[in-house]
Amino acid sequence: MSNRDQFASKIGFILAAAGSAIGLGAIWKFPYMAGTNGGSVFILLFILCTLVIGLPILVAEFMIGRRGKSDAVTSFKKQAPGKPWFLTGWMGFIFSAIILSFYSVVGGWILSYLIRSVSFRLSSNEKDFFANLFTDLTMNTWEVIIAQGAFLLIIILIISSGIQNGVEKASKWMMPLLFIFFVILAIRSLTLDGAMDGVKFMFVPDWSYLTGKTFLLALGQAFFSLSVGVAAMLTYASYLKKEVNLGSSALNVAWMNIGISILAGLVIFPAVFALGFTPNQGPGLVFIIIPAVFQQIPFGSIFVIFFFILLLFATITSAIAMLEIVVATAMGDKYNQRKKFAWICGIGIFIIGIPSALSFGILSDVKIFGRSIFDFADFVTSSIGMPIGALLVAIFAGYQLKRAEQMEELPVKPWIFNIWRILVRYVAPIAIIIVFIQGFRN
């Protein structure tokens, strides 16, 4: 086990774990979900659900991962020998590969937009320019495939370098830069005339939106934005030293996720309201609205470069975690063959993702249960794989691990430990089942 890589520092681990959690979910999906579900009420429920539901499961994944000191499959085998719990690890392996297969498509879109912004080709006075640009890009067969491959190449090179030299180093400079960029963009957005309407939308509650549906959507957003359920955090924690406090690390990750989500709202909503757009634009909020918004701002062509750099960073940090799960599981104890497995797994995921990349173009007529290939891959992971995975993690940590084993990994005050135990054994599983059922209804 001495040949196995480790995180060199607690802060390196926290930033890597936060990077896994803070991806397109926090920056792209959170503003979109808040924009279509009443703003402030959704945000309040999201924060509550993150701390009460997502956090206990995050601690559970950390606990299982550090105790196992191995890939997800082996970790479950070690802690529950002779029982089928190891299948939870294989689920994480499969669903992480599927997630990265379509996630890398979006990463490719971001690369394409970044190249256009850097070359100052992301501006026009035509009304529908940005909507048409997004459509043309996603229908361009060779551009989407090449961009997807380029994005995955970046991830493969980082993973090939290992935990300390690859994942940890990348996270240590990407995450602080991400925060800095967001603060700059938020300040720029908040100084626009009429920006306060966006601030009110985010922080002055409209209680008519306090409904069961809003609660379920906020719960789902909190749950998925923390990356729990696909063994990402479990795998990262397997590289963690014994002296690192799991509880405080998980709390830091949760707060960083909330902070970036709120900052994303402060970047987008004041600008959207100030310039007469509406907040319920879905994916267009990033790829159509934001370039249009920045075009109407002084030095907007510079700020839009910052925005897509930031979005690329966030996407890369999440993608690193997804590929690390796949590589760690495939590699097993062959630690000296990390580079080989990184390339094999990365190329395999690239091939699997090609149909998703083409599902807006030449494969747009191909439907699986009424969904495009891209949407089906998203649905099968977000609405099926992640809830089942997180439910199994909660049950394993709450019931399979003995109380003494739990306390050994979570040495906190007895009342804090008891709260965590109640949440992970009862509250979180029930909430996950509700989200799971809601996913099928949608």
Side-chain angles (χ1 to χ4, degrees):
M1 208 55 69
S2 60
N3 292 327
R4 195 167 197 266
D5 211 347
Q6 282 190 320
F7 283 103
S9 63
K10 177 182 176 180
I11 188 64
F13 166 71
I14 290 172
L15 290 173
S20 170
I22 300 163
L24 290 179
I27 296 175
W28 166 67
K29 192 176 181 183
F30 174 80
Y32 150 61
M33 293 296 289
T36 53
N37 292 285
S40 56
V41 170
F42 178 89
I43 292 169
L44 287 171
L45 291 173
F46 163 74
I47 294 170
L48 178 68
C49 292
T50 297
L51 297 176
V52 176
I53 308 301
L55 184 57
I57 301 218
L58 187 57
V59 172
E61 284 212 19
F62 283 172
M63 190 179 287
I64 297 166
R66 188 166 69 177
R67 280 179 57 80
K69 289 289 182 189
S70 188
D71 62 272
V73 174
T74 307
S75 287
F76 282 107
K77 283 183 177 179
K78 283 181 180 179
Q79 295 171 72
K83 296 180 180 179
W85 281 106
F86 69 91
L87 295 174
T88 306
W90 281 117
M91 278 183 55
F93 171 86
I94 293 167
F95 286 116
S96 293
I98 297 172
I99 289 171
L100 187 53
S101 74
F102 73 83
Y103 202 88
S104 59
V105 175
V106 183
W109 296 345
I110 295 167
L111 274 176
S112 291
Y113 268 73
L114 179 58
I115 290 169
R116 283 177 170 82
S117 65
V118 170
S119 57
F120 298 103
R121 291 184 292 126
L122 204 58
S123 62
S124 174
N125 293 321
E126 296 177 26
K127 181 181 177 183
D128 298 322
F129 173 79
F130 294 107
N132 293 334
L133 173 63
F134 183 68
T135 301
D136 292 343
L137 167 64
T138 55
M139 291 180 67
N140 187 321
T141 299
W142 288 111
E143 182 170 1
V144 291
I145 291 177
I146 292 169
Q148 177 205 5
F151 177 81
L152 273 171
L153 178 62
I154 295 170
I155 311 305
I156 291 168
L157 292 174
I158 293 172
I159 290 293
S160 295
S161 300
I163 295 299
Q164 289 187 23
N165 293 322
V167 176
E168 187 168 357
K169 279 187 177 178
S171 299
K172 272 187 172 180
W173 67 267
M174 279 184 185
M175 293 307 297
L177 279 175
L178 188 147
F179 274 104
I180 291 167
F181 282 157
F182 253 133
V183 169
I184 292 170
L185 290 173
I187 291 170
R188 178 62 244 169
S189 188
L190 287 167
T191 54
L192 294 170
D193 290 336
M196 285 304 106
D197 287 337
V199 176
K200 289 177 183 176
F201 178 76
M202 287 185 66
F203 297 114
V204 178
D206 179 352
W207 297 111
S208 66
Y209 283 94
L210 187 59
T211 64
K213 179 187 175 185
T214 307
F215 174 79
L216 290 170
L217 291 171
L219 180 58
Q221 176 65 22
F223 178 65
F224 297 123
S225 69
L226 281 175
S227 285
V228 291
V230 288
M233 298 307 194
L234 189 158
T235 303
Y236 271 180
S238 73
Y239 300 107
L240 199 56
K241 296 175 181 177
K242 191 68 179 175
E243 56 267 25
V244 174
N245 186 301
L246 296 186
S248 65
S249 296
L251 191 60
N252 285 330
V253 171
W255 278 119
M256 288 175 75
N257 188 48
I258 291 170
I260 280 287
S261 297
I262 300 298
L263 270 176
L266 287 173
V267 169
I268 291 172
F269 291 126
V272 166
F273 277 85
L275 297 167
F277 292 102
T278 56
N280 56 344
Q281 298 291 317
L285 206 59
V286 167
F287 292 105
I288 300 171
I289 298 293
I290 291 300
V293 166
F294 282 129
Q295 185 173 257
Q296 301 180 49
I297 298 173
F299 305 107
S301 59
I302 303 299
F303 280 108
V304 80
I305 295 173
F306 285 153
F307 181 81
F308 281 109
I309 289 173
L310 169 145
L311 193 59
L312 180 64
F313 281 1
T315 312
I316 285 173
T317 52
S318 291
I320 287 170
M322 294 299 109
L323 185 56
E324 177 59 30
I325 299 161
V326 177
V327 170
T329 306
M331 178 175 62
D333 60 0
K334 299 182 182 71
Y335 308 128
N336 60 338
Q337 297 184 38
R338 168 176 280 273
K339 286 187 178 180
K340 183 182 84 172
F341 280 99
W343 280 100
I344 291 171
C345 294
I347 292 170
I349 288 169
F350 168 70
I351 293 168
I352 294 169
I354 289 174
S356 288
L358 300 180
S359 64
F360 298 88
I362 60 175
L363 296 181
S364 60
D365 293 332
V366 177
K367 303 293 180 185
I368 305 174
F369 298 111
R371 292 178 169 85
S372 69
I373 299 170
F374 182 98
D375 289 339
F376 180 74
D378 187 5
F379 173 78
V380 111
T381 51
S382 300
S383 298
I384 299 175
M386 294 182 81
I388 293 175
L391 179 61
L392 291 172
V393 164
I395 293 170
F396 185 90
Y399 295 94
Q400 178 68 30
L401 296 183
K402 296 175 182 177
R403 186 183 182 94
E405 294 171 330
Q406 297 168 345
M407 294 183 75
E408 182 185 354
E409 290 295 328
L410 197 62
V412 293
K413 293 179 180 179
W415 67 271
I416 296 176
F417 175 81
N418 289 330
I419 289 175
W420 170 80
R421 202 161 188 262
I422 290 168
L423 290 174
V424 85
R425 283 167 67 97
Y426 306 110
V427 178
I430 292 170
I432 291 168
I433 290 169
I434 291 171
V435 174
F436 185 71
I437 293 169
Q438 182 68 14
F440 272 100
R441 285 181 177 173
N442 292 339

XYZ file of all heavy atoms in Angstrom, residues 57-121:
520
model
N -24.254 12.550 3.677
C -23.840 11.525 2.711
C -22.415 11.769 2.253
O -21.664 10.828 1.987
C -24.804 11.515 1.519
C -26.188 11.229 2.010
C -24.351 10.509 0.464
C -27.053 10.391 1.191
N -22.044 13.039 2.148
C -20.669 13.387 1.806
C -19.712 12.835 2.868
O -18.679 12.233 2.539
C -20.540 14.910 1.707
C -19.217 15.485 1.193
C -18.885 14.950 -0.184
C -19.276 17.007 1.185
N -20.046 13.010 4.138
C -19.240 12.452 5.233
C -19.176 10.931 5.113
O -18.119 10.322 5.310
C -19.823 12.858 6.607
C -19.112 12.110 7.735
C -19.712 14.361 6.821
N -20.308 10.304 4.776
C -20.366 8.843 4.635
C -19.415 8.355 3.542
O -18.693 7.372 3.717
C -21.796 8.399 4.338
N -19.402 9.058 2.394
C -18.489 8.667 1.308
C -17.030 8.835 1.728
O -16.187 7.989 1.441
C -18.787 9.472 0.033
C -20.029 9.014 -0.703
C -19.923 9.204 -2.223
O -18.803 9.350 -2.740
O -20.981 9.183 -2.869
N -16.739 9.964 2.395
C -15.381 10.171 2.904
C -14.970 9.025 3.831
O -13.862 8.508 3.773
C -15.302 11.493 3.675
C -15.249 12.723 2.803
C -15.346 13.983 3.369
C -15.108 12.634 1.424
C -15.282 15.133 2.595
C -15.050 13.774 0.633
C -15.142 15.031 1.224
N -15.897 8.649 4.714
C -15.650 7.608 5.715
C -15.325 6.269 5.050
O -14.328 5.616 5.378
C -16.904 7.476 6.593
C -16.762 6.625 7.826
S -18.325 6.616 8.760
C -18.332 8.262 9.459
N -16.157 5.864 4.107
C -15.963 4.581 3.414
C -14.663 4.600 2.614
O -13.894 3.631 2.610
C -17.160 4.277 2.486
C -18.447 4.125 3.293
C -16.910 3.007 1.674
C -19.712 4.153 2.444
N -14.396 5.713 1.938
C -13.207 5.816 1.105
C -11.921 5.745 1.898
O -10.998 5.006 1.540
N -11.829 6.516 2.994
C -10.585 6.510 3.765
C -10.372 5.178 4.474
O -9.242 4.704 4.597
C -10.554 7.652 4.782
C -9.177 7.755 5.451
C -8.984 9.037 6.198
N -9.828 9.110 7.387
C -9.788 10.130 8.241
N -8.980 11.143 8.012
N -10.575 10.155 9.298
N -11.436 4.544 4.939
C -11.301 3.229 5.577
C -10.817 2.180 4.571
O -10.038 1.299 4.902
C -12.650 2.772 6.160
C -12.992 3.405 7.492
C -14.348 2.914 7.988
N -14.355 1.452 8.098
C -13.827 0.769 9.110
N -13.244 1.408 10.097
N -13.870 -0.552 9.126
N -11.279 2.301 3.307
C -10.917 1.313 2.291
C -9.523 1.486 1.734
O -8.876 0.530 1.343
N -9.043 2.756 1.672
C -7.715 3.060 1.137
C -7.464 2.418 -0.227
O -6.371 1.940 -0.519
C -6.629 2.597 2.122
C -6.525 3.424 3.385
C -5.951 4.792 3.092
C -5.808 5.619 4.365
N -5.463 7.011 4.069
N -8.512 2.369 -1.046
C -8.375 1.738 -2.357
C -9.460 2.281 -3.281
O -10.185 3.206 -2.924
C -8.491 0.223 -2.201
O -8.186 -0.418 -3.417
N -9.546 1.701 -4.481
C -10.629 2.086 -5.378
C -11.963 1.678 -4.770
O -12.014 0.919 -3.787
C -10.441 1.425 -6.744
C -10.474 -0.092 -6.651
O -9.399 -0.693 -6.415
O -11.559 -0.660 -6.783
N -13.061 2.164 -5.337
C -14.382 1.962 -4.738
C -14.752 0.483 -4.601
O -15.263 0.046 -3.564
C -15.437 2.695 -5.567
N -14.497 -0.297 -5.643
C -14.854 -1.721 -5.612
C -14.110 -2.440 -4.486
O -14.702 -3.152 -3.666
C -14.553 -2.396 -6.971
C -14.784 -3.904 -6.883
C -15.433 -1.794 -8.071
N -12.802 -2.250 -4.426
C -11.985 -2.904 -3.403
C -12.330 -2.409 -2.005
O -12.309 -3.177 -1.036
C -10.490 -2.680 -3.689
O -10.198 -3.076 -5.024
C -9.620 -3.471 -2.735
N -12.668 -1.111 -1.882
C -13.038 -0.550 -0.581
C -14.246 -1.269 0.009
O -14.254 -1.623 1.192
C -13.343 0.942 -0.712
O -12.165 1.683 -0.897
N -15.262 -1.489 -0.814
C -16.459 -2.191 -0.331
C -16.145 -3.658 -0.023
O -16.655 -4.226 0.948
C -17.598 -2.082 -1.346
C -18.309 -0.758 -1.317
C -18.133 0.172 -2.338
C -19.156 -0.436 -0.266
C -18.795 1.388 -2.306
C -19.821 0.785 -0.224
C -19.635 1.702 -1.250
N -15.300 -4.281 -0.844
C -14.923 -5.675 -0.598
C -14.198 -5.828 0.737
O -14.431 -6.775 1.486
C -14.039 -6.198 -1.733
C -14.795 -6.554 -3.008
C -13.846 -7.126 -4.052
C -14.606 -7.557 -5.303
N -13.705 -8.101 -6.350
N -13.307 -4.882 1.040
C -12.552 -4.932 2.288
C -13.453 -4.788 3.511
O -13.262 -5.462 4.525
C -11.508 -3.803 2.319
C -10.267 -4.043 1.484
C -9.333 -2.854 1.658
C -8.047 -3.013 0.858
N -7.177 -1.826 1.025
N -14.430 -3.897 3.418
C -15.248 -3.560 4.578
C -16.497 -4.427 4.717
O -17.151 -4.417 5.760
C -15.632 -2.069 4.518
C -14.415 -1.167 4.635
C -14.730 0.294 4.356
O -15.370 0.961 5.156
N -14.273 0.797 3.216
N -16.836 -5.157 3.666
C -17.980 -6.078 3.720
C -17.631 -7.339 2.937
O -18.237 -7.628 1.906
C -19.236 -5.410 3.159
N -16.621 -8.102 3.400
C -16.188 -9.297 2.669
C -17.297 -10.332 2.531
O -18.055 -10.577 3.469
C -15.033 -9.831 3.531
C -15.238 -9.234 4.884
C -15.892 -7.907 4.659
N -17.378 -10.896 1.323
C -18.368 -11.933 1.084
C -19.766 -11.419 0.830
O -20.698 -12.204 0.634
N -19.936 -10.092 0.806
C -21.257 -9.496 0.574
C -21.232 -8.721 -0.753
O -20.166 -8.298 -1.208
C -21.645 -8.575 1.734
C -21.797 -9.324 3.066
C -22.191 -8.383 4.190
C -22.328 -9.132 5.510
N -22.681 -8.231 6.629
N -22.407 -8.528 -1.345
C -22.428 -7.899 -2.686
C -22.306 -6.378 -2.687
O -22.602 -5.743 -3.693
C -23.796 -8.339 -3.238
C -24.653 -8.511 -2.032
C -23.745 -8.995 -0.940
N -21.846 -5.783 -1.580
C -21.736 -4.327 -1.530
C -20.766 -3.777 -2.575
O -20.863 -2.617 -2.982
C -21.288 -3.879 -0.136
C -22.394 -3.865 0.873
C -22.591 -4.754 1.897
C -23.464 -2.916 0.958
N -23.721 -4.422 2.604
C -24.273 -3.291 2.053
C -23.821 -1.791 0.219
C -25.413 -2.580 2.426
C -24.955 -1.083 0.581
C -25.734 -1.483 1.672
N -19.789 -4.610 -3.013
C -18.799 -4.137 -3.996
C -19.464 -3.696 -5.303
O -18.895 -2.928 -6.079
C -17.765 -5.234 -4.272
C -18.302 -6.426 -5.008
C -18.257 -6.483 -6.395
C -18.868 -7.495 -4.319
C -18.755 -7.580 -7.089
C -19.367 -8.597 -5.002
C -19.311 -8.643 -6.387
N -20.703 -4.177 -5.549
C -21.425 -3.764 -6.762
C -21.704 -2.264 -6.762
O -21.840 -1.650 -7.821
C -22.735 -4.552 -6.885
C -22.588 -6.067 -7.105
C -23.943 -6.754 -7.056
C -21.886 -6.352 -8.433
N -21.775 -1.675 -5.556
C -21.941 -0.219 -5.462
C -20.741 0.487 -6.092
O -20.884 1.519 -6.751
C -22.079 0.205 -3.982
O -23.128 -0.547 -3.372
C -22.386 1.691 -3.862
N -19.547 -0.078 -5.888
C -18.341 0.479 -6.507
C -18.365 0.370 -8.014
O -17.982 1.300 -8.721
N -18.823 -0.773 -8.521
C -18.924 -0.945 -9.976
C -19.974 -0.006 -10.560
O -19.813 0.488 -11.682
C -19.261 -2.397 -10.320
C -18.078 -3.298 -10.252
C -17.867 -4.364 -9.417
C -16.889 -3.212 -11.069
N -16.648 -4.936 -9.646
C -16.024 -4.258 -10.657
C -16.481 -2.367 -12.092
C -14.775 -4.468 -11.243
C -15.235 -2.567 -12.674
C -14.401 -3.601 -12.253
N -21.048 0.264 -9.799
C -22.048 1.243 -10.248
C -21.395 2.614 -10.419
O -21.628 3.315 -11.408
C -23.199 1.341 -9.245
C -24.253 0.271 -9.375
S -25.600 0.553 -8.198
C -26.071 2.216 -8.624
N -20.573 3.001 -9.426
C -19.872 4.275 -9.521
C -18.978 4.336 -10.741
O -18.921 5.350 -11.439
N -18.280 3.240 -11.025
C -17.401 3.131 -12.190
C -18.198 3.348 -13.484
O -17.820 4.154 -14.339
C -16.745 1.745 -12.194
C -15.974 1.414 -13.435
C -14.646 1.802 -13.564
C -16.554 0.708 -14.480
C -13.918 1.486 -14.712
C -15.839 0.386 -15.631
C -14.522 0.786 -15.736
N -19.320 2.620 -13.628
C -20.126 2.679 -14.854
C -20.758 4.052 -15.040
O -20.650 4.669 -16.114
C -21.213 1.585 -14.841
C -20.560 0.194 -14.930
C -22.208 1.785 -15.981
C -21.506 -0.948 -14.616
N -21.382 4.558 -13.978
C -22.103 5.825 -14.114
C -21.151 7.010 -14.238
O -21.469 7.998 -14.909
C -23.087 6.011 -12.959
C -24.304 5.145 -13.071
C -24.575 4.156 -12.131
C -25.177 5.292 -14.137
C -25.694 3.344 -12.247
C -26.299 4.491 -14.269
C -26.557 3.510 -13.326
N -19.971 6.920 -13.629
C -18.976 7.986 -13.808
C -18.514 8.052 -15.263
O -18.336 9.137 -15.824
C -17.768 7.752 -12.895
O -18.134 7.906 -11.549
N -18.322 6.883 -15.871
C -17.916 6.845 -17.278
C -19.001 7.444 -18.169
O -18.702 8.207 -19.105
C -17.621 5.406 -17.696
N -20.261 7.113 -17.885
C -21.371 7.661 -18.686
C -21.478 9.170 -18.500
O -21.647 9.926 -19.467
C -22.701 6.974 -18.320
C -22.645 5.475 -18.650
C -23.866 7.626 -19.074
C -23.855 4.692 -18.143
N -21.369 9.625 -17.228
C -21.437 11.063 -16.962
C -20.350 11.801 -17.737
O -20.607 12.799 -18.415
C -21.290 11.360 -15.449
C -22.545 10.913 -14.686
C -21.053 12.850 -15.206
C -22.396 10.959 -13.173
N -19.112 11.302 -17.651
C -18.007 11.977 -18.326
C -18.162 11.931 -19.842
O -17.717 12.842 -20.546
C -16.671 11.362 -17.906
C -15.406 12.075 -18.406
C -15.431 13.565 -18.061
C -14.159 11.413 -17.833
N -18.837 10.895 -20.358
C -19.009 10.778 -21.809
C -19.842 11.929 -22.374
O -19.574 12.411 -23.476
C -19.637 9.429 -22.171
O -21.013 9.394 -21.857
N -20.870 12.382 -21.618
C -21.648 13.524 -22.124
C -21.185 14.845 -21.515
O -21.346 15.911 -22.100
C -23.161 13.324 -21.913
C -23.655 13.448 -20.500
C -23.940 14.681 -19.946
C -23.872 12.316 -19.727
C -24.406 14.802 -18.646
C -24.345 12.412 -18.429
C -24.607 13.663 -17.888
N -20.572 14.771 -20.332
C -20.017 15.959 -19.693
C -18.897 16.538 -20.543
O -18.742 17.755 -20.655
C -19.483 15.550 -18.319
C -19.341 16.652 -17.302
C -20.396 17.009 -16.482
C -18.133 17.326 -17.143
C -20.268 17.999 -15.529
C -17.990 18.315 -16.199
C -19.066 18.647 -15.391
O -18.929 19.634 -14.458
N -18.109 15.646 -21.156
C -16.999 16.096 -22.001
C -17.503 16.798 -23.261
O -16.796 17.623 -23.844
C -16.105 14.906 -22.386
O -16.830 13.920 -23.082
N -18.718 16.494 -23.671
C -19.331 17.189 -24.816
C -19.546 18.660 -24.455
O -19.205 19.561 -25.230
C -20.665 16.521 -25.216
C -21.354 17.325 -26.323
C -20.431 15.085 -25.662
N -20.101 18.888 -23.260
C -20.314 20.265 -22.795
C -18.967 20.958 -22.607
O -18.810 22.134 -22.940
C -21.126 20.281 -21.480
C -21.406 21.716 -21.041
C -22.434 19.524 -21.640
N -17.970 20.213 -22.080
C -16.627 20.767 -21.961
C -16.084 21.207 -23.306
O -15.415 22.246 -23.420
N -16.393 20.437 -24.347
C -15.990 20.799 -25.703
C -16.674 22.065 -26.183
O -16.040 22.919 -26.827
N -17.964 22.200 -25.881
C -18.675 23.437 -26.242
C -17.987 24.644 -25.601
O -17.807 25.685 -26.244
C -20.121 23.407 -25.759
C -20.989 22.353 -26.369
C -20.740 21.615 -27.486
C -22.265 21.931 -25.879
N -21.782 20.754 -27.729
C -22.734 20.925 -26.758
C -23.055 22.293 -24.803
C -23.953 20.285 -26.578
C -24.278 21.660 -24.609
C -24.726 20.664 -25.498
N -17.631 24.494 -24.329
C -17.003 25.602 -23.610
C -15.665 25.961 -24.238
O -15.343 27.147 -24.407
C -16.836 25.244 -22.120
C -18.210 25.075 -21.465
C -16.046 26.321 -21.377
C -18.169 24.424 -20.098
N -14.885 24.945 -24.615
C -13.617 25.201 -25.310
C -13.850 25.974 -26.608
O -13.113 26.923 -26.928
C -12.903 23.882 -25.619
C -11.995 23.282 -24.547
C -11.457 21.936 -25.008
C -10.844 24.229 -24.206
N -14.874 25.569 -27.360
C -15.183 26.257 -28.624
C -15.551 27.718 -28.386
O -15.105 28.617 -29.117
C -16.343 25.541 -29.342
O -15.943 24.279 -29.826
N -16.348 27.963 -27.340
C -16.735 29.335 -27.016
C -15.535 30.139 -26.528
O -15.408 31.329 -26.836
C -17.855 29.347 -25.965
C -19.239 29.367 -26.559
C -19.779 28.239 -27.169
C -20.008 30.523 -26.538
C -21.045 28.257 -27.729
C -21.287 30.558 -27.091
C -21.795 29.419 -27.693
O -23.057 29.442 -28.249
N -14.667 29.485 -25.751
C -13.481 30.180 -25.249
C -12.578 30.607 -26.400
O -12.070 31.743 -26.427
C -12.720 29.277 -24.277
C -11.426 29.856 -23.684
C -11.699 31.165 -22.950
C -10.771 28.850 -22.745
N -12.373 29.722 -27.368
C -11.545 30.046 -28.534
C -12.149 31.218 -29.306
O -11.444 32.139 -29.735
C -11.388 28.812 -29.447
C -10.502 27.758 -28.762
C -10.777 29.204 -30.793
C -10.503 26.408 -29.449
N -13.475 31.203 -29.462
C -14.146 32.313 -30.155
C -14.005 33.623 -29.382
O -13.830 34.687 -29.969
C -15.629 31.981 -30.361
C -15.890 30.996 -31.494
C -17.382 30.656 -31.581
N -17.698 29.902 -32.791
C -17.540 28.591 -32.917
N -17.037 27.896 -31.909
N -17.867 27.977 -34.044
N -14.109 33.536 -28.043
C -14.019 34.764 -27.242
C -12.601 35.336 -27.252
O -12.424 36.554 -27.351
C -14.471 34.494 -25.804
O -13.598 33.592 -25.141
N -11.595 34.457 -27.167
C -10.200 34.906 -27.180
C -9.841 35.547 -28.517
O -9.057 36.504 -28.582
C -9.249 33.722 -26.875
C -7.793 34.106 -27.126
C -9.424 33.260 -25.429
N -10.426 35.031 -29.594
C -10.162 35.599 -30.932
C -11.163 36.694 -31.286
O -11.241 37.131 -32.427
C -10.200 34.487 -31.987
O -11.449 33.812 -31.965
N -11.946 37.120 -30.268
C -12.914 38.217 -30.405
C -13.911 37.979 -31.538
O -14.274 38.894 -32.276
C -12.189 39.560 -30.591
C -11.318 39.929 -29.419
C -9.943 39.779 -29.482
C -11.882 40.396 -28.234
C -9.138 40.096 -28.400
C -11.083 40.713 -27.146
C -9.718 40.563 -27.219
N -14.352 36.724 -31.663
C -15.389 36.385 -32.642
C -16.722 36.090 -31.968
O -17.611 35.517 -32.564
C -14.954 35.165 -33.467
C -13.795 35.447 -34.411
C -13.458 34.260 -35.287
N -12.893 33.150 -34.524
C -13.366 31.908 -34.541
N -14.430 31.612 -35.257
N -12.783 30.963 -33.835
